[in-house]
Amino acid sequence: MRAIGALLGGWLLVAGTAIAQTAIRYNAAEHVWQISAGQMSYALGVNDKQSLQTLYWGPRLDPAASFPQPKQLPEAASFDPGIASSPIEYTGWGGGLPYEATLKISFPDGNRSLQLQFVDAKVTGDELEITLKDSLAPVFIRLFYHAYPEGILARWSRVENRGKQPLTVEQAGSATWNLPPRATYDLSSLTGRWGAEWQLQTEALYPGEVVLESRRGSTSHQVNPWFSIGSRGETTEAAGPVWFGELGWSGSWRITVEQTHADAVRITGGYNPFDFSYPLAPGESLETPKFYAGYTSGGNGEASRILHRFQRQQILPQRPHPKPRPIIFNSWEATEFKVDEAGQIALAEKAARLGVERLVIDDGWFGQRNTDHAGLGDWTVNPQKFPHGLKPVIDRVRALGMDFGIWVEPEMVNPDSDLYRKHPDWAMNFPGRPRTEARNQLLLNLARPDVRQYVFGWLDKLVSENDIAFLKWDYNRNWSEPGWDAVPLAQQKEIYVRYVENLYGILADLRKKHPQLEIESCSGGGGRVDLGILQHTDEVWPSDNTDALDRLVIQDGFTHAYSPNLMMAWVTDVPNFLDRRVIPLDFRFLVAMSGSLGIGGNLNNWTPEELSTATRLTAFYKEIRPTVQFGQLHRLLRPGGPEGRETSALQYVSDDGKSSVVFAYLHSQHFGRPFPTLRLQGLDPAGMYRLSPLDPKKLVIASPDPNASPERNGSQERNGSQLMGEGINLALSGDYAATAVRLERIR
Ligand code: GLA
């Protein structure tokens, strides 16, 4: 366990907030385990029928807290068995369970019923392991619990066949989370589609089931495996209870949120049971993905901050101290498939002058890749575009003081490619059936060991033979025809698990062999962002939509679930390719600067004035970068929705509380309304701060009168309580006006 702030007597201090350490305690008299992680406690116990039950999930408790005995509830009616209302910790389907089961198994004798009973438990440091067993069959389930000091509990499970007969797992969840019974919960989720990911939806829960899922073989643009549940009328951005979680799996997944007839609310997540079956021969086992969850009383903002901190400290490959994301230039929107040596060197020269730190050549550099109709699979440098290989470009990029990255899409093949002509059997397919193309491409079946070896082989060669610091790993379609006829029929559906395991395996092997290599997870934008892939990749591309106004909404949704340092954000050209909207350059920059900044416009067409704006803003970004990428985010004014149509604002505060930065965006002014006063958050009320506005003319401190003459002397000093109480006023007017203000604590 690593401390991010000062470690004081068993407490962790982060920006003045004390975060308790983890603890797992067993109370033998009550037969209860209490797990504490950050602001949360979780308790479970065993009843007289040896059934493991959830006893508590909520605010952190005193270690000596005691719990009511987990009694088996009586039948409420002949239609509502006791099992239906009991907060069972991990449900095996059987005994008339009318709700989602965490686990469902079929046995060769026709039995499909489980009755899981407690066997034993073991605590090792921050980890609790509980073993359950079916009352009759030799099936053992290991439940794992790992407590993290940031306030997250990870749960996952392993199903073990210790009998002499094979069995088939038909449904395998990682965990079921039971909430305190209540009829007034709101569920938030993140939904979308290509170009419109990360739309935050909030709906009332009522008896029935909400299914969040992907059947697409990967995480999906349509729903992200994240949930957040608040108390209706009570939970806001800044306060109130929030139960939240996310699944670490990049294949087909499912999270169900059920409210039972008795207002019990349970969340079950893991492998998607659709088209799923996984045979276990005697001695074999199946492990599920990890399902991470937390609780806070500090509202949706604090729930996000817990997740951000957790991802940076515990999930990312460079944990617990991920390196700052460099400012990149990416060629895609600038030159699309028309990449070549001279063109990319010309862009590199211009990018370097702006302060860019990494040049990334996107699609188009390999095989016969002149359009999206051909070339995927043929990962050799195109000799017409790069007659001397990649070396001259990389050498020039390095000489300009930048490092070099390149786009790859390793899991795909175009039928028009040498690879497909040689190995048509490598593409996922059902024998004898048509192969459904999307963007003119098919999926390679990565579950096959020979495909895994081929993919690792060429990637390793590419990275070994060239000075490559970064791969943008793309994935531009969903699954169809998920057949795998090279293995016996009973195992063919293992493809859903084995594919993703091999994907993680390739990424892990590459990183092990090339420890300096950094990788981005891209899937036509944000189609593969989850806590599974993030253990192998350093950043993600949230959306192909680079329109700055849409991006404000996309980025707002994204930060509900994932850390801003992961969120790559490019400044691209206008009119935007998607919305045809024309937004001024400084607004586009300020939107991208609230994540990990990049540039994707065609610099050959930028005017001297635009280039100088870009140079000034990249320099400013470098100053605020640690605060934006590693600080605590406060969403002061959220875009979208009735209040955020005209304006939005964000504030980041560094973990040590010494620096902060505020971004303010006026999307469109109406009826002469002044920009709302921004009451800052997360500062020390007694601290004194120096404010350095990006544009001094736009800062009108603590003056309620928007027409008061702006103070023009640049930096000013105010104390934390004034900044959080009276706030700051910004003289923004017109459409697409934006600015930023830096704060440094001086005493
Ligand atoms: C996907 C990515 C884009 C770009 C193109 C290239 O759409 O999301 O950023 O790399 O592929 O074909």
Side-chain angles (χ1 to χ4, degrees):
M1 190 187 313
R2 264 211 92 268
I4 31 176
L7 192 53
L8 289 176
W11 292 77
L12 202 56
L13 280 183
V14 177
T17 322
I19 297 179
Q21 297 286 305
T22 51
I24 303 183
R25 287 191 185 79
Y26 175 58
N27 178 335
E30 293 180 354
H31 206 9
V32 162
W33 293 265
Q34 192 200 124
I35 307 172
S36 289
Q39 307 172 16
M40 155 179 90
S41 287
Y42 187 91
L44 56 162
V46 179
N47 73 12
D48 50 3
K49 299 263 189 312
Q50 298 305 305
S51 162
L52 186 68
Q53 311 257 316
T54 312
L55 300 180
Y56 178 84
W57 182 20
R60 190 171 177 117
L61 296 173
D62 187 282
S66 97
F67 300 89
Q69 275 296 302
K71 291 251 159 23
Q72 175 77 39
L73 293 178
E75 172 177 298
S78 59
F79 300 97
D80 292 321
I83 191 176
S85 312
S86 302
I88 301 170
E89 180 71 7
Y90 186 93
T91 48
W93 185 75
L97 178 79
Y99 298 112
E100 286 299 344
T102 336
L103 179 68
K104 185 168 183 293
I105 287 179
S106 66
F107 295 89
D109 63 359
N111 170 43
R112 301 195 301 279
S113 169
L114 288 170
Q115 190 185 17
L116 300 181
Q117 296 181 325
F118 175 81
V119 177
D120 59 28
K122 186 172 82 186
V123 177
T124 320
D126 288 333
E127 208 154 293
L128 166 65
E129 184 183 327
I130 291 186
T131 304
L132 307 178
K133 182 192 167 295
D134 180 61
S135 57
L136 296 169
V139 185
F140 287 74
I141 323 295
R142 298 207 187 253
L143 306 183
F144 300 96
Y145 298 78
H146 191 110
Y148 292 94
E150 294 79 11
I152 296 290
L153 180 61
R155 290 181 56 190
W156 69 105
S157 60
R158 191 164 66 225
V159 185
E160 297 174 355
N161 180 3
R162 294 208 211 148
K164 293 193 167 54
Q165 299 288 324
L167 56 81
T168 303
V169 179
E170 294 181 341
Q171 187 163 327
S174 308
T176 292
W177 302 88
N178 290 290
L179 266 73
R182 190 185 294 178
T184 50
Y185 285 119
D186 284 333
L187 167 70
S188 296
S189 57
L190 288 161
T191 67
R193 59 180 161 82
W194 175 84
E197 304 88 332
W198 312 107
Q199 312 284 324
L200 186 75
Q201 314 291 349
T202 300
E203 59 185 323
L205 280 182
Y206 50 85
E209 176 173 302
V210 179
V211 180
L212 309 174
E213 68 168 352
S214 164
R215 300 181 173 199
R216 296 163 182 263
S218 66
T219 325
S220 96
H221 300 72
Q222 281 69 17
V223 202
N224 191 265
W226 168 89
F227 72 87
S228 167
I229 293 181
S231 166
R232 195 168 316 140
E234 186 187 0
T235 302
T236 63
E237 180 68 16
V242 187
W243 294 260
F244 56 94
E246 45 200 18
L247 200 60
W249 186 241
S250 313
S252 288
W253 59 272
R254 189 177 76 153
I255 296 175
T256 55
V257 183
E258 290 171 286
Q259 183 171 320
T260 73
H261 64 278
D263 294 334
V265 171
R266 39 221 266 173
I267 303 144
T268 303
Y271 294 126
N272 194 322
F274 173 77
D275 196 35
F276 184 87
S277 83
Y278 200 100
L280 292 182
E284 286 185 342
S285 63
L286 170 64
E287 191 155 309
T288 68
K290 295 195 168 93
F291 197 176
Y292 304 86
Y295 168 86
T296 176
S297 312
N300 297 322
E302 184 61 14
S304 305
R305 288 187 288 276
I306 291 172
L307 285 173
H308 299 169
R309 217 179 280 137
F310 172 69
Q311 290 155 9
R312 298 193 295 248
Q313 307 245 126
Q314 307 287 359
I315 294 288
L316 294 179
Q318 296 174 350
R319 60 186 178 267
H321 295 302
K323 289 189 202 138
R325 298 291 85 225
I327 302 177
I328 65 140
F329 175 83
N330 177 290
S331 65
W332 177 243
E333 283 198 35
T335 49
E336 294 202 339
F337 296 102
K338 293 190 210 68
V339 289
D340 61 28
E341 184 182 305
Q344 295 304 304
I345 289 179
L347 285 165
E349 314 261 355
K350 295 207 162 71
R353 281 201 286 276
L354 301 183
V356 167
E357 298 156 322
R358 169 173 291 169
L359 183 110
V360 183
I361 296 190
D362 208 282
D363 202 348
W365 60 269
F366 53 91
Q368 290 308 307
R369 188 73 171 166
N370 300 315
T371 67
D372 62 17
H373 286 260
L376 286 175
D378 301 339
W379 297 100
T380 47
V381 178
N382 179 300
Q384 281 82 43
K385 297 175 182 179
F386 298 93
H388 315 100
L390 294 171
K391 195 169 184 308
V393 183
I394 298 181
D395 285 351
R396 188 66 198 129
V397 165
R398 301 291 287 150
L400 288 164
M402 301 184 287
D403 69 22
F404 179 80
I406 198 157
W407 180 94
V408 292
E409 195 177 1
E411 298 151 85
M412 302 289 170
V413 64
N414 285 120
D416 185 0
S417 68
D418 292 342
L419 182 70
Y420 188 76
R421 283 183 279 272
K422 200 164 160 204
H423 293 290
D425 53 323
W426 281 8
M428 224 180 250
N429 73 94
F430 288 131
R433 306 279 310 169
R435 301 173 175 203
T436 309
E437 292 178 19
R439 206 192 190 204
N440 316 300
Q441 63 198 55
L442 297 169
L443 269 140
L444 291 174
N445 180 0
L446 218 58
R448 292 174 61 119
D450 49 1
V451 173
R452 173 176 173 165
Q453 208 184 347
Y454 165 79
V455 169
F456 174 78
W458 72 258
L459 280 165
D460 177 39
K461 187 163 183 282
L462 177 73
V463 178
S464 302
E465 290 177 357
N466 298 284
D467 186 0
I468 290 176
F470 170 78
L471 294 177
K472 171 174 168 180
W473 185 301
D474 212 337
Y475 178 88
N476 274 309
R477 61 161 294 176
N478 293 138
W479 288 20
S480 57
E481 299 91 31
W484 184 12
D485 64 332
V487 296
L489 185 61
Q491 285 167 23
Q492 291 183 7
K493 291 181 180 173
E494 287 180 18
I495 191 171
Y496 286 102
V497 177
R498 303 250 181 226
Y499 181 104
V500 181
E501 283 175 351
N502 279 353
L503 167 67
Y504 292 161
I506 295 169
L507 288 163
D509 291 349
L510 259 185
R511 296 195 77 113
K512 198 158 164 221
K513 190 143 179 226
H514 306 279
Q516 302 307 318
L517 183 69
E518 296 186 343
I519 304 176
E520 174 179 289
S521 174
C522 172
S523 170
R528 193 156 63 188
V529 183
D530 59 77
L531 292 190
I533 202 83
L534 283 172
Q535 293 178 36
H536 304 283
T537 55
D538 306 87
E539 59 184 56
V540 302
W541 180 230
S543 181
D544 277 349
N545 185 339
T546 55
D547 172 76
L549 195 60
D550 284 355
R551 268 277 171 159
L552 283 173
V553 175
I554 284 173
Q555 295 181 178
D556 173 75
F558 183 94
T559 65
H560 277 75
Y562 299 100
S563 173
N565 70 313
L566 304 172
M567 184 172 78
M568 300 309 291
W570 311 340
V571 176
T572 56
D573 289 335
V574 289
N576 181 269
F577 83 95
L578 198 59
D579 289 337
R580 311 306 304 163
R581 194 175 281 121
V582 177
I583 291 183
L585 188 64
D586 59 344
F587 191 98
R588 280 179 272 149
F589 256 98
L590 282 154
V591 172
M593 284 158 66
S594 69
S596 285
L597 175 66
I599 297 177
N602 189 341
L603 298 176
N604 293 324
N605 302 333
W606 288 24
T607 64
E609 198 194 344
E610 286 173 325
L611 293 170
S612 110
T613 300
T615 310
R616 182 172 67 92
L617 292 174
T618 48
F620 184 81
Y621 182 71
K622 286 178 185 168
E623 289 169 22
I624 59 171
R625 169 163 52 191
T627 310
V628 171
Q629 294 193 8
F630 305 122
Q632 305 194 41
L633 169 64
H634 297 266
R635 293 178 289 250
L636 300 181
L637 264 180
R638 297 194 38 232
E643 283 156 21
R645 243 174 236 138
E646 295 177 17
T647 58
S648 57
L650 297 165
Q651 184 194 355
Y652 299 79
V653 183
S654 64
D655 274 351
D656 64 8
K658 289 191 179 141
S659 315
S660 182
V661 58
V662 177
F663 291 94
Y665 308 98
L666 176 60
H667 317 158
S668 162
Q669 194 173 26
H670 292 276
F671 309 109
R673 262 194 292 275
F675 196 85
T677 298
L678 293 178
R679 293 195 172 76
L680 305 193
Q681 295 178 18
L683 303 177
D684 177 357
M688 187 55 97
Y689 296 85
R690 175 177 300 127
L691 283 75
S692 313
L694 177 64
D695 180 353
K697 291 191 195 91
K698 289 183 179 153
L699 178 66
V700 191
I701 292 196
S703 166
D705 175 3
N707 300 316
S709 78
E711 298 175 43
R712 286 164 198 273
N713 59 348
S715 68
Q716 306 171 36
E717 293 169 13
R718 285 291 182 281
N719 72 34
S721 65
Q722 277 177 309
L723 291 165
M724 294 192 290
E726 293 163 33
I728 59 172
N729 289 289
L730 296 163
L732 294 177
S733 62
D735 291 345
Y736 309 125
T739 194
V741 182
R742 274 177 63 201
L743 290 86
E744 292 300 321
R745 188 174 165 164
I746 47 176
R747 18 180 215 284

